[in-house]
Amino acid sequence: MKKWATGLLVVVWMAVIFAFSNQIAEESAQSSQTVAYQIASWQNEVFQLQKGEEELVAQADSMQFSIRKCAHMSEYAVLAVLFFLHLSCYPLARKWTVLLSWVFTVCYAITDEGHQLLVSGRSGEFRDVCIDGLGGLLGLAAALAALHLIARRRFRRAAAPK
């Protein structure tokens, strides 16, 4: 059952990434512009910066590239962790589970960038594959760190005097 559930999560998340990549350039830019503007507005409110509308729009424009690349990294961090969870259902050594999870993540990033070549106004970028791969590595590092902390806590509880 766990294999099916984790496999389904992988497929669903791949579909989510595909849907984002299938947005035409204007739609994708509008989505990231909206997020950037909300962040700029929130920052303006919290720090009482008294920025006007033009300044907020300019700040949002300058933040858009970073937001897009962080979104790429986040999408692929989640995908790598989901691959890791799925592959952990099989009798593989941990190092192979991690390596295969990352390789599958990068392979999907490559196919995703290829797909974007077919979408109006979009382009496939090697740089984005590298960013996606880095996101996958960071996601796997976070998952491994979490597993290490959980194992350490269990060991301490088992070793504690009763």
Side-chain angles (χ1 to χ4, degrees), residues 2 14 35 66-68 90 104 106 113 130 139 142 158 162:
K2 187 177 174 186
M14 290 169 78
V35 170
S66 298
I67 288 171
R68 291 174 79 88
Y90 296 90
F104 290 155
V106 171
E113 291 302 314
C130 294
K162 296 179 183 183

Side-chain angles (χ1 to χ4, degrees), residues 39-52 55-56 59:
I39 292 170
S41 295
W42 172 81
Q43 182 187 40
N44 190 42
E45 270 185 49
V46 169
F47 297 108
Q48 299 175 348
L49 299 175
Q50 309 299 322
K51 289 185 179 181
E55 290 174 300
L56 290 174
Q59 180 182 353

Side-chain angles (χ1 to χ4, degrees), residues 73-132:
M73 289 179 76
S74 300
E75 289 174 344
Y76 283 88
V78 170
L79 182 62
V81 170
L82 291 174
F83 271 130
F84 177 78
L85 291 173
H86 181 64
L87 292 174
S88 293
C89 296
Y90 296 90
L92 296 169
R94 172 75 47 93
K95 66 182 177 183
W96 285 108
T97 303
V98 171
L99 179 63
L100 287 173
S101 298
W102 186 71
V103 167
F104 290 155
T105 299
V106 171
C107 287
Y108 190 73
I110 291 168
T111 62
D112 183 53
E113 291 302 314
H115 162 247
Q116 287 184 39
L117 293 171
L118 306 173
V119 177
S120 177
R122 301 290 295 266
S123 62
E125 304 285 336
F126 177 72
R127 172 187 64 201
D128 285 346
V129 173
C130 294
I131 290 168
D132 299 342

